[in-house]
Amino acid sequence: MITAFARSKVNLFLHVTGKRNDGYHLLESLVVFPEWGDRITVKKGKSITLEVTGPFSQLIGSTEENLAFKAAHLLKREGGSNEGARIVLEKNLPVAAGIGGGSADAAAVLKSLNVLWNIGFSNNRLGQIGLALGADVPVCLYGKPAMMSGIGEQISGLREFPKFNILLVNPGISASTGDVFSQLTISEKITSSDDFSGRTARELFIGLAAMRNDLEAPALEVAPVIDAVLSSIKEQKGCHLARMSGSGATCFGLFEEEEAAEMAARDILERHPDWWVQAAAVDP
């Protein structure tokens, strides 16, 4: 039996830089992985099965459409394995929330079954397989602070990345990625080539303030409540930056101190008990 932690993925900024003829959008994004996420357990079985538990298990939908389930079948085919697997997914992250839950689950399944089935694929090969499942799967396989570009397949690791604390807030709604992108007008603003390596947390926050999430404005058209989420985070003591992650609707706040992030989580949850709120460390 193998257990893996599928950490949430947060886009500290996300610039949409173009669109390919096949419909995929080109992007530039700084991605981190807070210490909070789903949990994957795999063990050998006669066939591939998926059991979903956890607080968000009822929102998963069809097993056949689940990225973790698809990842297992894709790896079995690509790796030429004759084995099966019993997969248990403990779903702790909200669904369709802009923090890469499904992609992180798929990445954890690929890594775990690569070992369980003794396939022996390299991380690069797993990334190629993962890209067929979704643009975020390769960076979730990498699992460390990174710059993403292209459609998500170009990944550059960062040196000496600082530790800090993050507050994740979701208002209990799903923002359709397709609906958000349908509202997008691609920005002509010049994007940054800075890889954000070698900075203190405070310097990182200052640099990020000049960046943006190009999907935030179109997401507000789809889900206006995101504005209230951002306002609730911005007003918290010790918050240096508030922004939306991915295509939403989860937003985040950046804090230097753990205590400040925890206090902010308690305050927001007290005022909005129907929201999902989680403070976590970002520890490279």
Side-chain angles (χ1 to χ4, degrees):
M1 184 176 73
I2 298 173
T3 299
F5 188 37
R7 290 184 294 166
S8 53
K9 173 225 50 139
V10 174
N11 302 89
L12 296 184
F13 71 81
L14 196 164
H15 301 159
V16 181
T17 59
K19 187 176 182 180
R20 302 196 318 192
N21 292 334
D22 61 4
Y24 278 97
H25 286 82
L26 302 172
L27 57 87
E28 177 191 54
S29 183
L30 172 55
V31 175
V32 295
F33 296 88
E35 295 293 333
W36 188 263
D38 298 336
R39 194 168 299 277
I40 297 282
T41 301
V42 300
K43 61 177 66 175
K44 289 187 177 182
K46 293 182 180 179
S47 61
I48 296 174
T49 62
L50 174 66
E51 176 188 357
V52 185
T53 65
F56 291 98
S57 59
Q58 299 304 311
L59 302 178
I60 285 296
S62 167
T63 296
E64 288 72 22
E65 294 302 313
N66 187 276
L67 283 183
F69 188 73
K70 287 183 175 181
H73 280 278
L74 186 56
L75 182 63
K76 180 174 181 176
R77 183 173 74 243
E78 294 294 322
S81 175
N82 294 318
E83 300 192 63
R86 295 169 57 192
I87 305 168
V88 179
L89 165 58
E90 182 185 293
K91 195 63 185 170
N92 300 312
L93 295 173
V95 178
I99 49 176
S103 296
D105 297 340
V109 167
L110 288 174
K111 279 186 174 180
S112 299
L113 293 183
N114 189 46
V115 175
L116 186 73
W117 291 341
N118 197 30
I119 292 175
F121 279 161
S122 67
N123 286 336
N124 285 340
R125 182 72 182 97
L126 291 177
Q128 293 170 356
I129 295 171
L131 191 61
L133 297 164
D136 281 340
V137 178
V139 80
C140 288
L141 279 162
Y142 184 71
K144 295 179 288 188
M147 292 289 297
M148 295 171 57
S149 57
I151 63 170
E153 84 285 7
Q154 299 172 25
I155 300 166
S156 300
L158 303 178
R159 299 172 289 101
E160 301 176 21
F161 199 77
K163 179 180 178 179
F164 56 92
N165 293 274
I166 195 167
L167 176 66
L168 302 174
V169 183
N170 183 282
I173 64 168
S174 297
S176 164
T177 300
D179 289 347
V180 171
F181 271 101
S182 72
Q183 299 289 327
L184 173 68
T185 299
I186 296 176
S187 173
E188 296 181 356
K189 293 182 181 179
I190 297 173
T191 54
S192 171
S193 60
D194 193 329
D195 70 359
F196 289 90
S197 293
R199 299 192 182 194
T200 65
R202 184 68 63 91
E203 290 169 342
L204 173 67
F205 299 161
I206 292 171
L208 288 172
M211 305 292 104
R212 62 191 186 276
N213 182 345
D214 286 335
L215 299 181
E216 195 169 294
L220 283 166
E221 295 292 326
V222 174
V225 69
I226 291 172
D227 187 51
V229 176
L230 289 168
S231 296
S232 296
I233 298 172
K234 288 175 182 176
E235 69 185 23
Q236 296 300 318
K237 184 177 180 180
C239 179
H240 290 267
L241 177 72
R243 183 169 285 157
M244 190 185 80
S245 177
S247 57
T250 303
C251 299
F252 63 86
L254 302 183
F255 297 78
E256 286 188 273
E257 302 298 330
E258 179 182 1
E259 183 179 1
E262 294 285 356
M263 287 180 62
R266 289 193 293 270
D267 179 69
I268 292 176
L269 196 56
E270 183 176 324
R271 287 189 283 168
H272 301 278
D274 55 331
W275 289 3
W276 177 78
V277 184
Q278 183 64 51
V282 175
D283 190 354

